[in-house]
Amino acid sequence: MASLPALHLPATRSFKFFPQKSPILPTFPPPNRRFSAVGAYKVLIEHVGGTTELEVESDETILSKALDSGLDVPHDCKLGVCMTCPARLLGGSVDQSEGMLSDDVIDRGYTLMCVAYPKSDCHVRVIPEEELLSLQLATAND
Ligand code: FES
């Protein structure tokens, strides 16, 4: 049996799937996201079905991990825009710089799980969308 010739590809070949200047495809990674070698954090999530602890990598969102783990948590756009996935951040810290929440709402301890990347072990409680919307209206009128 004849052996196949060795395949030698240039090191940059694997990045052609994510062209940085493409007008169609998003940049990868997004410009304000950095991949970290920190690893995973423990995230405790209080949701309608109970309380679940997950290991969430620093480069994945809490919502993504929750859905992958089979949790039934509200969501829609997964882009930080529709505000269907709000939670109270009861402990720890997250990077949510990709989301649409105003700084004063974030300062009051709210987060959108679809854009929340853990920066430490965290504790979050899923809340009704109406709680966040009423807070946003109140802070907009301040
Ligand atoms: S799913 Fe739309 S803001 Fe999170």
PDB file of all heavy atoms in Angstrom, residues 62-99:
ATOM      1  N   ILE A  62     -22.191  33.091  30.115  1.00  0.00           N
ATOM      2  CA  ILE A  62     -22.942  32.303  31.087  1.00  0.00           C
ATOM      3  C   ILE A  62     -24.175  31.693  30.419  1.00  0.00           C
ATOM      4  O   ILE A  62     -24.512  30.533  30.659  1.00  0.00           O
ATOM      5  CB  ILE A  62     -23.318  33.183  32.293  1.00  0.00           C
ATOM      6  CG1 ILE A  62     -22.036  33.597  33.038  1.00  0.00           C
ATOM      7  CG2 ILE A  62     -24.285  32.460  33.221  1.00  0.00           C
ATOM      8  CD1 ILE A  62     -22.254  34.618  34.144  1.00  0.00           C
ATOM      9  N   LEU A  63     -24.824  32.458  29.533  1.00  0.00           N
ATOM     10  CA  LEU A  63     -26.006  31.917  28.846  1.00  0.00           C
ATOM     11  C   LEU A  63     -25.631  30.721  27.986  1.00  0.00           C
ATOM     12  O   LEU A  63     -26.320  29.692  27.998  1.00  0.00           O
ATOM     13  CB  LEU A  63     -26.663  32.993  27.967  1.00  0.00           C
ATOM     14  CG  LEU A  63     -27.860  32.475  27.176  1.00  0.00           C
ATOM     15  CD1 LEU A  63     -29.023  32.123  28.081  1.00  0.00           C
ATOM     16  CD2 LEU A  63     -28.289  33.470  26.105  1.00  0.00           C
ATOM     17  N   SER A  64     -24.568  30.835  27.232  1.00  0.00           N
ATOM     18  CA  SER A  64     -24.156  29.743  26.352  1.00  0.00           C
ATOM     19  C   SER A  64     -23.928  28.465  27.153  1.00  0.00           C
ATOM     20  O   SER A  64     -24.399  27.382  26.774  1.00  0.00           O
ATOM     21  CB  SER A  64     -22.886  30.156  25.607  1.00  0.00           C
ATOM     22  OG  SER A  64     -22.360  29.077  24.891  1.00  0.00           O
ATOM     23  N   LYS A  65     -23.238  28.578  28.278  1.00  0.00           N
ATOM     24  CA  LYS A  65     -22.966  27.396  29.092  1.00  0.00           C
ATOM     25  C   LYS A  65     -24.257  26.852  29.704  1.00  0.00           C
ATOM     26  O   LYS A  65     -24.460  25.640  29.779  1.00  0.00           O
ATOM     27  CB  LYS A  65     -21.957  27.744  30.196  1.00  0.00           C
ATOM     28  CG  LYS A  65     -21.521  26.549  30.995  1.00  0.00           C
ATOM     29  CD  LYS A  65     -20.769  25.566  30.120  1.00  0.00           C
ATOM     30  CE  LYS A  65     -20.202  24.422  30.929  1.00  0.00           C
ATOM     31  NZ  LYS A  65     -19.198  23.678  30.196  1.00  0.00           N
ATOM     32  N   ALA A  66     -25.137  27.763  30.141  1.00  0.00           N
ATOM     33  CA  ALA A  66     -26.406  27.321  30.731  1.00  0.00           C
ATOM     34  C   ALA A  66     -27.235  26.538  29.709  1.00  0.00           C
ATOM     35  O   ALA A  66     -27.780  25.477  30.026  1.00  0.00           O
ATOM     36  CB  ALA A  66     -27.183  28.527  31.248  1.00  0.00           C
ATOM     37  N   LEU A  67     -27.304  27.041  28.496  1.00  0.00           N
ATOM     38  CA  LEU A  67     -28.081  26.348  27.464  1.00  0.00           C
ATOM     39  C   LEU A  67     -27.428  25.016  27.100  1.00  0.00           C
ATOM     40  O   LEU A  67     -28.116  24.006  26.924  1.00  0.00           O
ATOM     41  CB  LEU A  67     -28.235  27.235  26.223  1.00  0.00           C
ATOM     42  CG  LEU A  67     -29.047  28.516  26.437  1.00  0.00           C
ATOM     43  CD1 LEU A  67     -29.038  29.360  25.177  1.00  0.00           C
ATOM     44  CD2 LEU A  67     -30.473  28.188  26.870  1.00  0.00           C
ATOM     45  N   ASP A  68     -26.110  25.016  26.972  1.00  0.00           N
ATOM     46  CA  ASP A  68     -25.401  23.759  26.676  1.00  0.00           C
ATOM     47  C   ASP A  68     -25.621  22.720  27.768  1.00  0.00           C
ATOM     48  O   ASP A  68     -25.580  21.517  27.508  1.00  0.00           O
ATOM     49  CB  ASP A  68     -23.894  24.006  26.514  1.00  0.00           C
ATOM     50  CG  ASP A  68     -23.548  24.736  25.238  1.00  0.00           C
ATOM     51  OD1 ASP A  68     -24.442  24.852  24.362  1.00  0.00           O
ATOM     52  OD2 ASP A  68     -22.407  25.195  25.108  1.00  0.00           O
ATOM     53  N   SER A  69     -25.848  23.194  28.998  1.00  0.00           N
ATOM     54  CA  SER A  69     -26.046  22.291  30.130  1.00  0.00           C
ATOM     55  C   SER A  69     -27.507  21.885  30.300  1.00  0.00           C
ATOM     56  O   SER A  69     -27.847  21.191  31.254  1.00  0.00           O
ATOM     57  CB  SER A  69     -25.544  22.950  31.414  1.00  0.00           C
ATOM     58  OG  SER A  69     -24.184  23.286  31.285  1.00  0.00           O
ATOM     59  N   GLY A  70     -28.369  22.377  29.410  1.00  0.00           N
ATOM     60  CA  GLY A  70     -29.771  21.975  29.442  1.00  0.00           C
ATOM     61  C   GLY A  70     -30.654  22.800  30.345  1.00  0.00           C
ATOM     62  O   GLY A  70     -31.808  22.416  30.585  1.00  0.00           O
ATOM     63  N   LEU A  71     -30.152  23.946  30.849  1.00  0.00           N
ATOM     64  CA  LEU A  71     -30.994  24.791  31.702  1.00  0.00           C
ATOM     65  C   LEU A  71     -32.010  25.526  30.841  1.00  0.00           C
ATOM     66  O   LEU A  71     -31.704  25.963  29.728  1.00  0.00           O
ATOM     67  CB  LEU A  71     -30.144  25.808  32.474  1.00  0.00           C
ATOM     68  CG  LEU A  71     -29.112  25.250  33.446  1.00  0.00           C
ATOM     69  CD1 LEU A  71     -28.492  26.382  34.250  1.00  0.00           C
ATOM     70  CD2 LEU A  71     -29.720  24.219  34.362  1.00  0.00           C
ATOM     71  N   ASP A  72     -33.208  25.679  31.402  1.00  0.00           N
ATOM     72  CA  ASP A  72     -34.272  26.393  30.711  1.00  0.00           C
ATOM     73  C   ASP A  72     -34.253  27.838  31.188  1.00  0.00           C
ATOM     74  O   ASP A  72     -34.890  28.180  32.179  1.00  0.00           O
ATOM     75  CB  ASP A  72     -35.623  25.736  31.003  1.00  0.00           C
ATOM     76  CG  ASP A  72     -36.753  26.395  30.250  1.00  0.00           C
ATOM     77  OD1 ASP A  72     -36.482  27.107  29.262  1.00  0.00           O
ATOM     78  OD2 ASP A  72     -37.917  26.215  30.658  1.00  0.00           O
ATOM     79  N   VAL A  73     -33.460  28.669  30.528  1.00  0.00           N
ATOM     80  CA  VAL A  73     -33.350  30.076  30.899  1.00  0.00           C
ATOM     81  C   VAL A  73     -33.805  30.926  29.718  1.00  0.00           C
ATOM     82  O   VAL A  73     -33.561  30.575  28.559  1.00  0.00           O
ATOM     83  CB  VAL A  73     -31.903  30.447  31.318  1.00  0.00           C
ATOM     84  CG1 VAL A  73     -31.548  29.802  32.652  1.00  0.00           C
ATOM     85  CG2 VAL A  73     -30.890  30.040  30.272  1.00  0.00           C
ATOM     86  N   PRO A  74     -34.491  32.036  30.011  1.00  0.00           N
ATOM     87  CA  PRO A  74     -35.022  32.848  28.918  1.00  0.00           C
ATOM     88  C   PRO A  74     -33.911  33.489  28.082  1.00  0.00           C
ATOM     89  O   PRO A  74     -32.882  33.904  28.613  1.00  0.00           O
ATOM     90  CB  PRO A  74     -35.861  33.912  29.636  1.00  0.00           C
ATOM     91  CG  PRO A  74     -35.366  33.931  31.035  1.00  0.00           C
ATOM     92  CD  PRO A  74     -34.800  32.580  31.325  1.00  0.00           C
ATOM     93  N   HIS A  75     -34.121  33.554  26.795  1.00  0.00           N
ATOM     94  CA  HIS A  75     -33.151  34.173  25.886  1.00  0.00           C
ATOM     95  C   HIS A  75     -33.814  34.363  24.530  1.00  0.00           C
ATOM     96  O   HIS A  75     -34.863  33.781  24.252  1.00  0.00           O
ATOM     97  CB  HIS A  75     -31.899  33.308  25.740  1.00  0.00           C
ATOM     98  CG  HIS A  75     -32.173  31.986  25.076  1.00  0.00           C
ATOM     99  ND1 HIS A  75     -32.745  30.934  25.753  1.00  0.00           N
ATOM    100  CD2 HIS A  75     -31.978  31.576  23.807  1.00  0.00           C
ATOM    101  CE1 HIS A  75     -32.874  29.921  24.924  1.00  0.00           C
ATOM    102  NE2 HIS A  75     -32.429  30.279  23.729  1.00  0.00           N
ATOM    103  N   ASP A  76     -33.197  35.177  23.698  1.00  0.00           N
ATOM    104  CA  ASP A  76     -33.678  35.348  22.323  1.00  0.00           C
ATOM    105  C   ASP A  76     -32.508  35.654  21.408  1.00  0.00           C
ATOM    106  O   ASP A  76     -31.968  34.774  20.771  1.00  0.00           O
ATOM    107  CB  ASP A  76     -34.742  36.449  22.274  1.00  0.00           C
ATOM    108  CG  ASP A  76     -35.461  36.494  20.932  1.00  0.00           C
ATOM    109  OD1 ASP A  76     -35.151  35.660  20.064  1.00  0.00           O
ATOM    110  OD2 ASP A  76     -36.342  37.352  20.741  1.00  0.00           O
ATOM    111  N   CYS A  77     -32.054  36.924  21.379  1.00  0.00           N
ATOM    112  CA  CYS A  77     -31.076  37.339  20.361  1.00  0.00           C
ATOM    113  C   CYS A  77     -29.665  36.790  20.597  1.00  0.00           C
ATOM    114  O   CYS A  77     -28.909  36.609  19.655  1.00  0.00           O
ATOM    115  CB  CYS A  77     -31.020  38.861  20.283  1.00  0.00           C
ATOM    116  SG  CYS A  77     -30.224  39.639  21.714  1.00  0.00           S
ATOM    117  N   LYS A  78     -29.284  36.577  21.818  1.00  0.00           N
ATOM    118  CA  LYS A  78     -27.929  36.161  22.205  1.00  0.00           C
ATOM    119  C   LYS A  78     -26.866  37.185  21.797  1.00  0.00           C
ATOM    120  O   LYS A  78     -25.710  36.844  21.598  1.00  0.00           O
ATOM    121  CB  LYS A  78     -27.564  34.794  21.620  1.00  0.00           C
ATOM    122  CG  LYS A  78     -28.474  33.669  22.083  1.00  0.00           C
ATOM    123  CD  LYS A  78     -28.026  32.357  21.483  1.00  0.00           C
ATOM    124  CE  LYS A  78     -28.963  31.233  21.843  1.00  0.00           C
ATOM    125  NZ  LYS A  78     -28.612  29.985  21.173  1.00  0.00           N
ATOM    126  N   LEU A  79     -27.271  38.429  21.647  1.00  0.00           N
ATOM    127  CA  LEU A  79     -26.357  39.494  21.218  1.00  0.00           C
ATOM    128  C   LEU A  79     -26.311  40.662  22.192  1.00  0.00           C
ATOM    129  O   LEU A  79     -25.702  41.678  21.898  1.00  0.00           O
ATOM    130  CB  LEU A  79     -26.774  40.014  19.835  1.00  0.00           C
ATOM    131  CG  LEU A  79     -26.719  39.005  18.696  1.00  0.00           C
ATOM    132  CD1 LEU A  79     -27.408  39.571  17.459  1.00  0.00           C
ATOM    133  CD2 LEU A  79     -25.280  38.633  18.399  1.00  0.00           C
ATOM    134  N   GLY A  80     -27.018  40.563  23.307  1.00  0.00           N
ATOM    135  CA  GLY A  80     -27.025  41.666  24.258  1.00  0.00           C
ATOM    136  C   GLY A  80     -27.916  42.811  23.844  1.00  0.00           C
ATOM    137  O   GLY A  80     -27.736  43.938  24.310  1.00  0.00           O
ATOM    138  N   VAL A  81     -28.904  42.560  23.006  1.00  0.00           N
ATOM    139  CA  VAL A  81     -29.749  43.623  22.475  1.00  0.00           C
ATOM    140  C   VAL A  81     -31.190  43.533  22.954  1.00  0.00           C
ATOM    141  O   VAL A  81     -31.782  44.526  23.351  1.00  0.00           O
ATOM    142  CB  VAL A  81     -29.712  43.604  20.922  1.00  0.00           C
ATOM    143  CG1 VAL A  81     -30.649  44.640  20.340  1.00  0.00           C
ATOM    144  CG2 VAL A  81     -28.289  43.809  20.423  1.00  0.00           C
ATOM    145  N   CYS A  82     -31.794  42.350  22.957  1.00  0.00           N
ATOM    146  CA  CYS A  82     -33.236  42.221  23.218  1.00  0.00           C
ATOM    147  C   CYS A  82     -33.581  42.275  24.708  1.00  0.00           C
ATOM    148  O   CYS A  82     -34.731  42.495  25.066  1.00  0.00           O
ATOM    149  CB  CYS A  82     -33.766  40.935  22.605  1.00  0.00           C
ATOM    150  SG  CYS A  82     -33.265  39.427  23.490  1.00  0.00           S
ATOM    151  N   MET A  83     -32.630  42.065  25.589  1.00  0.00           N
ATOM    152  CA  MET A  83     -32.793  42.114  27.048  1.00  0.00           C
ATOM    153  C   MET A  83     -33.732  41.042  27.577  1.00  0.00           C
ATOM    154  O   MET A  83     -34.407  41.246  28.584  1.00  0.00           O
ATOM    155  CB  MET A  83     -33.241  43.509  27.490  1.00  0.00           C
ATOM    156  CG  MET A  83     -32.363  44.582  26.929  1.00  0.00           C
ATOM    157  SD  MET A  83     -32.094  45.916  28.035  1.00  0.00           S
ATOM    158  CE  MET A  83     -31.063  46.963  27.019  1.00  0.00           C
ATOM    159  N   THR A  84     -33.773  39.903  26.930  1.00  0.00           N
ATOM    160  CA  THR A  84     -34.615  38.794  27.355  1.00  0.00           C
ATOM    161  C   THR A  84     -33.924  37.899  28.382  1.00  0.00           C
ATOM    162  O   THR A  84     -34.561  37.044  28.975  1.00  0.00           O
ATOM    163  CB  THR A  84     -35.011  37.951  26.117  1.00  0.00           C
ATOM    164  OG1 THR A  84     -35.531  38.818  25.119  1.00  0.00           O
ATOM    165  CG2 THR A  84     -36.073  36.922  26.447  1.00  0.00           C
ATOM    166  N   CYS A  85     -32.623  38.100  28.613  1.00  0.00           N
ATOM    167  CA  CYS A  85     -31.854  37.182  29.468  1.00  0.00           C
ATOM    168  C   CYS A  85     -31.259  37.877  30.693  1.00  0.00           C
ATOM    169  O   CYS A  85     -30.123  37.590  31.066  1.00  0.00           O
ATOM    170  CB  CYS A  85     -30.732  36.556  28.647  1.00  0.00           C
ATOM    171  SG  CYS A  85     -29.536  37.788  28.056  1.00  0.00           S
ATOM    172  N   PRO A  86     -32.027  38.757  31.377  1.00  0.00           N
ATOM    173  CA  PRO A  86     -31.420  39.494  32.489  1.00  0.00           C
ATOM    174  C   PRO A  86     -31.199  38.635  33.724  1.00  0.00           C
ATOM    175  O   PRO A  86     -31.879  37.630  33.949  1.00  0.00           O
ATOM    176  CB  PRO A  86     -32.451  40.589  32.772  1.00  0.00           C
ATOM    177  CG  PRO A  86     -33.744  39.976  32.406  1.00  0.00           C
ATOM    178  CD  PRO A  86     -33.446  39.089  31.215  1.00  0.00           C
ATOM    179  N   ALA A  87     -30.246  39.071  34.519  1.00  0.00           N
ATOM    180  CA  ALA A  87     -29.957  38.401  35.792  1.00  0.00           C
ATOM    181  C   ALA A  87     -29.390  39.431  36.751  1.00  0.00           C
ATOM    182  O   ALA A  87     -28.864  40.468  36.341  1.00  0.00           O
ATOM    183  CB  ALA A  87     -28.963  37.266  35.584  1.00  0.00           C
ATOM    184  N   ARG A  88     -29.539  39.130  38.044  1.00  0.00           N
ATOM    185  CA  ARG A  88     -28.849  39.916  39.078  1.00  0.00           C
ATOM    186  C   ARG A  88     -27.509  39.254  39.319  1.00  0.00           C
ATOM    187  O   ARG A  88     -27.434  38.047  39.467  1.00  0.00           O
ATOM    188  CB  ARG A  88     -29.650  39.914  40.383  1.00  0.00           C
ATOM    189  CG  ARG A  88     -30.914  40.721  40.383  1.00  0.00           C
ATOM    190  CD  ARG A  88     -30.690  42.212  40.236  1.00  0.00           C
ATOM    191  NE  ARG A  88     -29.755  42.803  41.169  1.00  0.00           N
ATOM    192  CZ  ARG A  88     -30.107  43.423  42.294  1.00  0.00           C
ATOM    193  NH1 ARG A  88     -31.364  43.526  42.617  1.00  0.00           N
ATOM    194  NH2 ARG A  88     -29.181  43.946  43.079  1.00  0.00           N
ATOM    195  N   LEU A  89     -26.484  40.061  39.344  1.00  0.00           N
ATOM    196  CA  LEU A  89     -25.152  39.557  39.668  1.00  0.00           C
ATOM    197  C   LEU A  89     -24.991  39.692  41.175  1.00  0.00           C
ATOM    198  O   LEU A  89     -24.751  40.780  41.698  1.00  0.00           O
ATOM    199  CB  LEU A  89     -24.095  40.361  38.909  1.00  0.00           C
ATOM    200  CG  LEU A  89     -22.652  39.899  39.034  1.00  0.00           C
ATOM    201  CD1 LEU A  89     -22.478  38.475  38.541  1.00  0.00           C
ATOM    202  CD2 LEU A  89     -21.737  40.840  38.266  1.00  0.00           C
ATOM    203  N   LEU A  90     -25.151  38.583  41.891  1.00  0.00           N
ATOM    204  CA  LEU A  90     -25.140  38.597  43.359  1.00  0.00           C
ATOM    205  C   LEU A  90     -23.737  38.458  43.932  1.00  0.00           C
ATOM    206  O   LEU A  90     -23.498  38.757  45.102  1.00  0.00           O
ATOM    207  CB  LEU A  90     -26.035  37.472  43.887  1.00  0.00           C
ATOM    208  CG  LEU A  90     -27.495  37.524  43.428  1.00  0.00           C
ATOM    209  CD1 LEU A  90     -28.243  36.290  43.911  1.00  0.00           C
ATOM    210  CD2 LEU A  90     -28.173  38.797  43.897  1.00  0.00           C
ATOM    211  N   GLY A  91     -22.803  37.989  43.100  1.00  0.00           N
ATOM    212  CA  GLY A  91     -21.427  37.843  43.561  1.00  0.00           C
ATOM    213  C   GLY A  91     -20.500  37.660  42.379  1.00  0.00           C
ATOM    214  O   GLY A  91     -20.909  37.177  41.331  1.00  0.00           O
ATOM    215  N   GLY A  92     -19.255  38.088  42.539  1.00  0.00           N
ATOM    216  CA  GLY A  92     -18.279  37.944  41.468  1.00  0.00           C
ATOM    217  C   GLY A  92     -18.373  39.059  40.446  1.00  0.00           C
ATOM    218  O   GLY A  92     -19.098  40.043  40.640  1.00  0.00           O
ATOM    219  N   SER A  93     -17.643  38.907  39.355  1.00  0.00           N
ATOM    220  CA  SER A  93     -17.654  39.941  38.326  1.00  0.00           C
ATOM    221  C   SER A  93     -17.648  39.299  36.945  1.00  0.00           C
ATOM    222  O   SER A  93     -17.165  38.174  36.769  1.00  0.00           O
ATOM    223  CB  SER A  93     -16.453  40.871  38.487  1.00  0.00           C
ATOM    224  OG  SER A  93     -15.250  40.150  38.333  1.00  0.00           O
ATOM    225  N   VAL A  94     -18.221  40.034  35.989  1.00  0.00           N
ATOM    226  CA  VAL A  94     -18.286  39.571  34.600  1.00  0.00           C
ATOM    227  C   VAL A  94     -17.841  40.694  33.681  1.00  0.00           C
ATOM    228  O   VAL A  94     -17.931  41.878  34.026  1.00  0.00           O
ATOM    229  CB  VAL A  94     -19.718  39.125  34.201  1.00  0.00           C
ATOM    230  CG1 VAL A  94     -20.174  37.949  35.037  1.00  0.00           C
ATOM    231  CG2 VAL A  94     -20.702  40.280  34.299  1.00  0.00           C
ATOM    232  N   ASP A  95     -17.358  40.320  32.506  1.00  0.00           N
ATOM    233  CA  ASP A  95     -17.118  41.275  31.430  1.00  0.00           C
ATOM    234  C   ASP A  95     -18.374  41.275  30.582  1.00  0.00           C
ATOM    235  O   ASP A  95     -18.725  40.257  29.985  1.00  0.00           O
ATOM    236  CB  ASP A  95     -15.905  40.824  30.607  1.00  0.00           C
ATOM    237  CG  ASP A  95     -15.684  41.698  29.371  1.00  0.00           C
ATOM    238  OD1 ASP A  95     -16.475  42.638  29.138  1.00  0.00           O
ATOM    239  OD2 ASP A  95     -14.727  41.425  28.636  1.00  0.00           O
ATOM    240  N   GLN A  96     -19.101  42.407  30.569  1.00  0.00           N
ATOM    241  CA  GLN A  96     -20.297  42.498  29.739  1.00  0.00           C
ATOM    242  C   GLN A  96     -20.206  43.722  28.825  1.00  0.00           C
ATOM    243  O   GLN A  96     -21.195  44.379  28.538  1.00  0.00           O
ATOM    244  CB  GLN A  96     -21.570  42.515  30.579  1.00  0.00           C
ATOM    245  CG  GLN A  96     -21.625  43.548  31.663  1.00  0.00           C
ATOM    246  CD  GLN A  96     -22.919  43.441  32.451  1.00  0.00           C
ATOM    247  OE1 GLN A  96     -24.000  43.204  31.909  1.00  0.00           O
ATOM    248  NE2 GLN A  96     -22.823  43.595  33.767  1.00  0.00           N
ATOM    249  N   SER A  97     -18.993  43.996  28.376  1.00  0.00           N
ATOM    250  CA  SER A  97     -18.751  45.176  27.551  1.00  0.00           C
ATOM    251  C   SER A  97     -19.415  45.096  26.182  1.00  0.00           C
ATOM    252  O   SER A  97     -19.535  46.113  25.503  1.00  0.00           O
ATOM    253  CB  SER A  97     -17.243  45.393  27.393  1.00  0.00           C
ATOM    254  OG  SER A  97     -16.624  44.243  26.867  1.00  0.00           O
ATOM    255  N   GLU A  98     -19.864  43.910  25.766  1.00  0.00           N
ATOM    256  CA  GLU A  98     -20.523  43.775  24.461  1.00  0.00           C
ATOM    257  C   GLU A  98     -22.022  44.038  24.549  1.00  0.00           C
ATOM    258  O   GLU A  98     -22.694  44.056  23.531  1.00  0.00           O
ATOM    259  CB  GLU A  98     -20.294  42.372  23.895  1.00  0.00           C
ATOM    260  CG  GLU A  98     -18.839  42.076  23.621  1.00  0.00           C
ATOM    261  CD  GLU A  98     -18.598  40.609  23.274  1.00  0.00           C
ATOM    262  OE1 GLU A  98     -19.569  39.852  23.133  1.00  0.00           O
ATOM    263  OE2 GLU A  98     -17.430  40.240  23.163  1.00  0.00           O
ATOM    264  N   GLY A  99     -22.566  44.240  25.749  1.00  0.00           N
ATOM    265  CA  GLY A  99     -24.011  44.371  25.917  1.00  0.00           C
ATOM    266  C   GLY A  99     -24.498  45.799  25.832  1.00  0.00           C
ATOM    267  O   GLY A  99     -23.723  46.741  25.689  1.00  0.00           O
TER     268      GLY A  99
END
